Amino acid sequence: MPTLPSSRRLDRVLPATLRRLLPMLCLLLAMGSQASDDIATEAPILTLTQGSDRQTLSLDAIEATGDLHHIRMQHPEGPEGRFSGVWLDAFLAQHGLEDARRVRFIADDGYTTFLSQAQRQEKAYLLATRLDGEPIGVDRLGPLMLVVPEDAEAVLDGSVPMDRWIWALEEIRAR
């Protein structure tokens, strides 16, 4: 059986309407993949609670706190590279929580750690939002992490505990 030229084969396989719509569908798919990247930074990823006030924040809203700080380090649980984020004190101040006596951080698996006002004054805590310029995926312990950049090497060598570090952060409660 002779083979048909590719254009005639396409004519037989795809109805005329679909052939006309195919380029438009390809364009829409390409635009959709770009939009999904944008939506990823606009979707709620953190709940911020103080008393009965509760709000959800997107990556964009968290990063709007101020300039991103960047540090190259290895996280004790594996991810390594350039971590970027906002300073915790600036983030809390932006949301009127700088005077909170105690702040509780809750991970998606229920792990919790607390920071008092005095502990927040002892060291600079970074609310990490990106790794190597991209939002931190759940496969890399994201979407958010609380880290202490000045303790990164000491945590790795075991001379400082990482009990104030938290990853897969999903909620911050202030009192």
Side-chain angles (χ1 to χ4, degrees):
M1 175 183 239
T3 59
L4 298 172
S6 60
S7 63
R8 288 187 65 197
R9 185 178 304 144
L10 187 61
D11 287 345
R12 292 179 82 197
V13 176
L14 293 175
T17 305
L18 188 54
R19 282 194 314 275
R20 284 191 300 266
L21 291 176
L22 194 58
M24 189 174 292
L25 288 172
C26 291
L27 179 62
L28 286 172
L29 286 171
M31 289 172 55
S33 69
Q34 176 64 39
S36 68
D37 292 342
D38 295 337
I39 291 169
T41 63
E42 296 172 3
I45 60 170
L46 178 70
T47 301
L48 187 59
T49 305
Q50 183 180 27
S52 62
D53 293 335
R54 195 172 170 95
Q55 63 180 358
T56 56
L57 301 171
S58 66
L59 182 65
D60 288 344
I62 294 165
E63 291 179 342
T65 297
D67 292 331
L68 291 184
H69 177 75
H70 310 283
I71 181 166
R72 183 158 291 284
M73 66 175 208
Q74 179 175 351
H75 190 281
E77 293 297 319
E80 181 175 5
R82 190 179 114 194
F83 288 83
S84 304
V86 297
W87 293 113
L88 177 63
D89 286 343
F91 173 79
L92 293 174
Q94 177 81 20
H95 295 282
L97 303 173
E98 65 271 18
D99 295 329
R101 292 185 335 265
R102 189 168 101 157
V103 180
R104 179 180 181 188
F105 302 88
I106 305 166
D108 70 355
D109 65 357
Y111 177 80
T112 297
T113 191
F114 296 88
L115 288 175
S116 68
Q117 226 175 7
Q119 289 168 321
R120 293 192 328 261
Q121 292 171 356
E122 288 172 10
K123 297 185 179 195
Y125 291 84
L126 183 70
L127 186 57
T129 57
R130 296 182 180 268
L131 178 57
D132 294 328
E134 297 296 323
I136 305 171
V138 293
D139 61 326
R140 307 218 48 203
L141 309 177
L144 301 171
M145 297 180 182
L146 184 67
V147 300
V148 187
E150 71 184 78
D151 286 351
E153 289 184 33
V155 166
L156 281 176
D157 72 23
S159 60
V160 171
M162 63 178 187
D163 59 344
R164 301 290 179 227
W165 293 49
I166 189 168
W167 46 93
L169 181 61
E170 70 176 17
E171 184 174 357
I172 298 176
R173 292 183 189 167
R175 290 190 336 161

